[in-house]
Amino acid sequence: MCEVRGPGQPDGVNRTSQDRSDRPKPSAPSTEPTEPREPARSEPSPKPKGQDHGTRLTVFVALGANLLIAVAKAVGGMLTGSPALLSEAAHSVADSLNEVFLLAALRRSRRPADRRHPFGYGKERFFWSLLAAVGIFVMGGCFSFFQGFEALRSGSEESSSGYVAGLAVLAVSLLAEGASLFRALHQVRGQGGAGGLRDPALRTVVAEDGTAVLGVTLAIIGMALHMITGQIVWEASASFAIGALLVGVAYWLGRDAREQLIGRAADPESSGRIRALLEAQPEIDSVEALLTMEIGLDSTLVAARIDLVPGLDSEEVEEVAVRIKRSVANIVPEADQIFLDVTDAAAARAASRGDGTAEDPAATGERGGA
């Protein structure tokens, strides 16, 4: 078996399966890849720490805005008894706690790999984003539903000054949340538009701020209709709408974080480029399996089971492995953990057919580690 560990790391070659003297040796296979590529690199591509700095600033802006707004909404809600305003206060408290989670994610996910975690701590980013989604659901969505039911059960009346104070607080909140959302969208554009939303921390901030702007708008509408009609049902309905909005956003963020935590494959475009590069190599007879998994925001594990052409000796296999490692790292920079498993696919299939059993996925390369 041949392992390719990643740019700049030592290569390990098990030479027991390399020599196949019963097969004719090909005529001097080329040692260069068959498609144009950048110069080979021996070091991993640098991590985008500058992007992390910008994301951290965006999270701090959102945290500061949410803390100030939460205090204002809570004070205004207690003074006026407005359920919509109290729902928005809970929303802002949840967002503030979530920003703390995201700051922890940004710091902890960049820790270097160690003996206990040889692939690094990139998935910390997804874990803390999942906690943020749970916080939005519990502290924001559930409390908003509670406030709506409580308003319908007990009813409440507000004075004209209470309406004015509540609407003023919501108007200021709308401006602050809008400024935070603008900052987050600016960060997304700076990281390549929609591609910037791959970062779960930035994606969570955008979702929170966008939801906050919409939630404050619903609260303003509910309070204004309550003031005009004298019916508390309008503010209760606004609380229900805010709760439903928060639950929906929490579900969307939590589902995405779950997929990344349990091991999501690289995007089809990157996988296709890697497979095409492997199949284009003259020394590779077939690619039996190609498995990928995102292990961090900018770190991907690549494991390929390949069948080599007959007649290659161990030194040629090692040269091929090193060259493929560098080529894959060039075309997919985030692929920093690369493993190749050299197998005799024809012999494995013949053996599985010989004993009358179905083909074993581990033997054929359909599944299994490198």
Side-chain angles (χ1 to χ4, degrees):
M1 182 172 81
C2 166
E3 283 191 4
V4 184
R5 304 184 181 277
Q9 293 178 311
D11 301 301
V13 179
N14 184 335
R15 304 174 190 272
T16 60
S17 63
Q18 313 305 332
D19 298 309
R20 304 183 196 171
S21 56
D22 57 331
R23 299 183 182 180
K25 186 172 181 178
S27 57
S30 170
T31 58
E32 295 298 325
T34 59
E35 60 184 51
R37 61 180 176 87
E38 300 173 11
R41 297 175 301 188
S42 59
E43 297 297 330
S45 56
K47 306 300 182 185
K49 293 184 179 179
Q51 291 183 1
D52 265 8
H53 176 74
T55 302
R56 187 176 293 107
L57 179 59
T58 298
V59 175
F60 272 119
V61 170
L63 176 60
N66 282 317
L67 285 174
L68 293 176
I69 293 168
V71 173
K73 289 176 180 176
V75 172
M78 288 186 291
L79 291 177
T80 63
S82 167
L85 200 53
L86 289 173
S87 295
E88 274 300 302
H91 181 185
S92 295
V93 170
D95 285 352
S96 300
L97 181 60
N98 292 338
E99 259 80 66
V100 176
F101 289 157
L102 297 180
L103 289 173
L106 291 172
R107 180 178 62 85
R108 296 177 64 85
S109 66
R110 285 301 179 190
R111 290 182 294 170
D114 53 34
R115 182 181 297 273
R116 188 172 178 83
H117 298 88
F119 293 110
Y121 291 82
K123 288 197 174 185
E124 285 257 19
R125 219 168 181 113
F126 311 140
F127 169 74
W128 291 101
S129 297
L130 179 62
L131 289 187
V134 173
I136 292 174
F137 178 85
V138 175
M139 297 183 63
C142 294
F143 186 78
S144 295
F145 281 120
F146 169 77
Q147 282 299 124
F149 283 119
E150 185 67 16
L152 291 177
R153 185 186 67 82
S154 61
S156 64
E157 293 295 333
E158 298 177 29
S159 63
S160 298
S161 59
Y163 285 122
V164 173
L167 290 172
V169 169
L170 290 174
V172 172
S173 300
L174 184 62
L175 292 176
E177 298 285 12
S180 180
L181 177 61
F182 178 81
R183 164 65 201 182
L185 293 176
H186 177 74
Q187 177 70 16
V188 171
R189 286 194 297 270
Q191 293 184 198
L197 293 178
R198 289 182 59 251
D199 184 345
L202 186 56
R203 182 171 61 246
T204 301
V205 172
V206 172
E208 285 180 350
D209 288 344
T211 304
V213 169
L214 186 54
V216 170
T217 302
L218 291 172
I220 290 175
I221 293 173
M223 184 174 286
L225 290 175
H226 184 192
M227 180 177 64
I228 294 171
T229 65
Q231 299 295 319
I232 189 63
V233 67
W234 293 110
E235 280 201 68
S237 298
S239 292
F240 289 139
I242 293 169
L245 181 64
L246 292 175
V247 167
V249 170
Y251 172 78
W252 175 66
L253 291 173
R255 182 185 61 181
D256 194 74
R258 170 184 171 273
E259 289 182 357
Q260 291 173 310
L261 277 173
I262 63 179
R264 186 167 64 185
D267 63 87
E269 180 183 357
S270 296
S271 296
R273 290 161 62 192
I274 294 173
R275 179 175 286 276
L277 183 143
L278 294 175
E279 292 175 343
Q281 306 308 308
E283 299 87 356
I284 296 179
D285 191 34
S286 64
V287 179
E288 297 299 309
L290 176 63
L291 307 177
T292 62
M293 183 174 67
E294 295 178 354
I295 55 178
L297 179 61
D298 44 39
S299 180
T300 299
L301 183 147
V302 177
R305 181 160 291 181
I306 58 176
D307 185 18
L308 297 178
V309 297
L312 296 179
D313 60 34
S314 59
E315 291 185 0
E316 288 174 314
V317 171
E318 188 170 2
E319 290 175 1
V320 170
V322 171
R323 193 186 70 232
I324 292 175
K325 169 191 69 176
R326 293 175 177 173
S327 299
V328 171
N330 279 326
I331 66 169
V332 182
E334 61 269 22
D336 56 355
Q337 301 288 343
I338 308 169
F339 299 86
L340 299 181
D341 181 7
V342 178
T343 184
D344 188 344
R349 292 192 182 98
S352 64
R353 289 193 298 268
D355 60 8
T357 59
E359 290 188 354
D360 181 5
T364 60
E366 294 302 320
R367 290 290 186 271

